């Protein structure tokens, strides 16, 4: 759930910056660090990136691109060259990190005087709809026919790794299913 994700991300951020990692009657910062350590490399890196640790961005791109480049083996999913996979991974991560509407900044509405108006740019969703032209510009128009499917795969890889890491960390900390 969104609250669960925020709670895990905030507790992880607090734990990373904590000075006292000692034992406490309740969960200590070290418990949050250990919980995140039990997740996948990509899941951990995505959590750090979402927590504004941009130093892990190249590693995250490499992990996502590696999965994209290998994902076609033995499956019906297309396999992409490493060069295209790197470009797609960068774009998918940019979209994942900055999903909000450029007009309302995710609020879904604008305030004009005493009135609230549904944002016309996003039709009240709060989400920026990346156009094919924006994606072609970022990835390269020579790859235009592969971009939609490749981005869908990359978004899936990111979503599964991130949500799995959140679930796994919460399960470790709270015994939740």
């Amino acid at each position: 759930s969104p609250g669960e994700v925020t709670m895990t991300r905030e507790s992880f951020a607090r734990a990373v910056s904590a000075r006292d990692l000692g034992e406490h009657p309740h969960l200590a910062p070290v418990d949050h660090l250990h919980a995140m350590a039990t997740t996948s490399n990509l899941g951990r890196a995505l959590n750090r990136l979402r927590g504004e640790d941009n130093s892990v961005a190249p590693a995250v791109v490499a992990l996502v691109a590696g999965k994209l480049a290998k994902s076609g083996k033995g499956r019906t999913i297309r396999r992409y060259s490493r060069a295209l996979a790197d470009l797609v991974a960068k774009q998918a991560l940019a979209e994942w990190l900055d999903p909000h509407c450029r007009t309302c900044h995710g609020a879904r509405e604008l305030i004009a005087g005493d009135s609230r108006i549904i944002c016309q740019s996003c039709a009240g969703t709060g989400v920026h709809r990346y156009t094919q032209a924006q994606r072609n510009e970022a990835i390269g128009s020579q790859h235009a026919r592969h971009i939609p499917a490749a981005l869908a795969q990359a978004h899936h890889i990111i979503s599964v790794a991130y949500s799995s890491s959140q679930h796994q960390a919460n399960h470790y900390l709270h015994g939740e299913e």
Side-chain angles (χ1 to χ4, degrees), residues 40-165:
S40 71
N41 289 340
L42 180 55
R44 267 192 315 278
L46 287 166
N47 276 283
R48 288 181 59 192
L49 190 58
R50 263 271 163 94
E52 299 184 7
D53 179 358
N54 294 329
S55 69
V56 298
V60 174
V61 168
L63 288 167
V64 173
K67 287 183 177 286
L68 257 181
K70 293 177 186 172
S71 66
K73 291 185 179 176
R75 299 183 188 164
T76 58
I77 298 171
R78 181 176 168 78
R79 184 176 175 182
Y80 299 99
S81 71
R82 186 57 193 237
L84 177 57
D86 283 340
L87 294 169
V88 169
K90 285 178 188 173
Q91 181 63 24
L93 287 166
E95 292 180 15
W96 181 71
L97 288 168
D98 190 14
H100 303 296
C101 172
R102 304 303 184 259
T103 304
C104 69
H105 305 287
R108 300 184 181 114
E109 59 189 14
L110 302 169
I111 299 175
D114 293 336
S115 302
R116 292 178 178 228
I117 303 165
I118 292 177
C119 178
Q120 296 300 306
S121 297
C122 67
T125 65
V127 177
H128 177 69
R129 305 271 304 161
Y130 287 86
T131 66
Q132 189 63 33
Q134 288 172 314
R135 290 170 166 167
N136 288 349
E137 185 177 329
I139 297 171
S141 58
Q142 70 273 23
H143 303 294
R145 67 186 179 107
H146 299 295
I147 292 173
L151 272 171
Q153 277 181 252
H155 282 295
H156 178 75
I157 289 165
I158 292 166
S159 294
V160 168
Y162 185 72
S163 62
S164 294
S165 72

